[in-house]
Amino acid sequence: MQLYIGNKNYSSWSLRPWLLMTHAGIPFEEIKLRLSFAADSPFKKSLAAITPTGRVPVLVDEGFAVWDTLAIAEYLAEKYPAKQLWPAQPLARARARSLCAEMHSGFTALRSHCPMNIETSLPEIGAKVVAEQPDVVSDLARLASMWEKQFDEHGGPFLFGAFTVADAFFAPVCTRIKTYALPVPPRAAAYVEHIHSLPAMQAWTRDARAEHDFLDFDEPYRTAR
Ligand SMILES: N[C@@H](CCC(=O)N[C@@H](CS)C(=O)NCC(=O)O)C(=O)O
């Protein structure tokens, strides 16, 4: 299988299936493309042959393309049942899917005001965003209450006890909390640290920091040096 991804510093959608597969020990070839919106860019040209969306991530299995993180997660869970990528218990599984769907279509204020940017540290921007953007504060409150309920029910250290798709889906948010020093309660902060301590996550963040590829359209707060 090949997994097409974007810049590791910026591509939050790419991180989800990459972390899922790497942490679960599912073998794949990584194909990294430099993110771009321009129609004539290598990014768009490479993807044109593979996916009608022109977006990453895309998983290609023996020439068959699966795009969109939710679809990729479901495909992998069906292909590798022994990996238990979703919780085994039906209600827990349904809840995990609810959380992933909520992440997939929600948290828009947090996502737009605090885009993923692993290589940098912007605590002063985080403080300003929290002071000026009540929707971001609401997103953070929802995250904290969601995660705490999961820890109450499943005991941690992951959202459903053991690592599942849900943890992969919230990993980019964990990086945002770190980059922007966003305030979250202690158990949520401990979860952020736990996700960052995973060897697969450390590998991704190491690669992200080594990229040194400044993309203006993903940088609302910094200018190129
Ligand atoms: N809903 C999609 C979102 C994918 C997405 O927006 N990916 C971004 C990179 S993080 C992208 O490829 N952007 C290029 C574009 O929109 O032209 C998913 O879950 O995979």
Side-chain angles (χ1 to χ4, degrees):
M1 288 188 291
Q2 293 83 40
L3 182 69
Y4 288 77
I5 61 170
N7 292 54
K8 288 184 174 174
N9 187 46
Y10 298 113
S11 186
S12 57
W13 295 107
S14 300
L15 168 56
R16 294 175 171 107
W18 190 97
L19 179 62
L20 182 65
M21 296 176 83
T22 306
H23 183 83
I26 296 171
F28 67 100
E29 177 192 357
E30 169 190 313
I31 301 179
K32 190 164 76 167
L33 302 172
R34 186 174 195 240
L35 289 167
S36 174
F37 293 106
D40 60 349
S41 61
F43 178 78
K44 291 293 181 191
K45 282 184 179 162
S46 304
L47 290 177
I50 301 162
T51 166
T53 66
R55 291 180 171 189
V56 287
V58 192
L59 181 70
V60 179
D61 190 3
E62 295 189 14
F64 183 84
V66 185
W67 58 85
D68 198 290
T69 48
L70 278 175
I72 294 169
E74 293 292 359
Y75 182 78
L76 292 169
E78 285 187 9
K79 188 174 164 104
Y80 297 94
K83 298 286 186 188
Q84 299 201 312
L85 300 182
W86 291 112
Q89 202 269 335
L91 295 186
R93 192 158 64 246
R95 179 57 50 79
R97 287 193 167 109
S98 294
L99 299 192
C100 288
E102 185 178 344
M103 180 71 246
H104 193 258
S105 61
F107 296 99
T108 46
L110 178 58
R111 272 160 42 191
S112 63
H113 290 288
C114 301
M116 192 168 98
N117 199 332
I118 290 172
E119 72 162 23
T120 192
S121 179
L122 299 167
E124 63 296 333
I125 299 292
K128 190 166 166 358
V129 166
V130 165
E132 295 175 3
Q133 304 293 341
D135 289 351
V136 173
V137 176
S138 301
D139 280 351
L140 288 171
R142 169 63 191 135
L143 265 184
S145 73
M146 173 201 287
W147 290 353
E148 284 172 356
K149 188 167 192 309
Q150 292 308 121
F151 303 143
D152 286 345
E153 288 181 11
H154 297 276
F158 295 103
L159 296 174
F160 291 85
F163 182 91
T164 67
V165 175
D167 300 291
F169 265 65
F170 286 94
V173 156
C174 291
T175 77
R176 290 168 155 109
I177 289 171
K178 236 183 171 18
T179 295
Y180 298 91
L182 299 171
V184 288
R187 282 198 295 171
Y191 176 68
V192 169
E193 290 307 319
H194 182 61
I195 291 297
H196 277 89
S197 76
L198 303 177
M201 193 64 187
Q202 289 183 355
W204 176 281
T205 55
R206 203 167 42 240
D207 291 351
R209 290 199 188 93
E211 279 173 352
H212 305 300
D213 184 16
F214 193 93
L215 298 180
D216 288 313
F217 56 85
D218 265 322
E219 293 280 358
Y221 305 117
R222 297 196 298 167
T223 48
R225 288 174 294 270

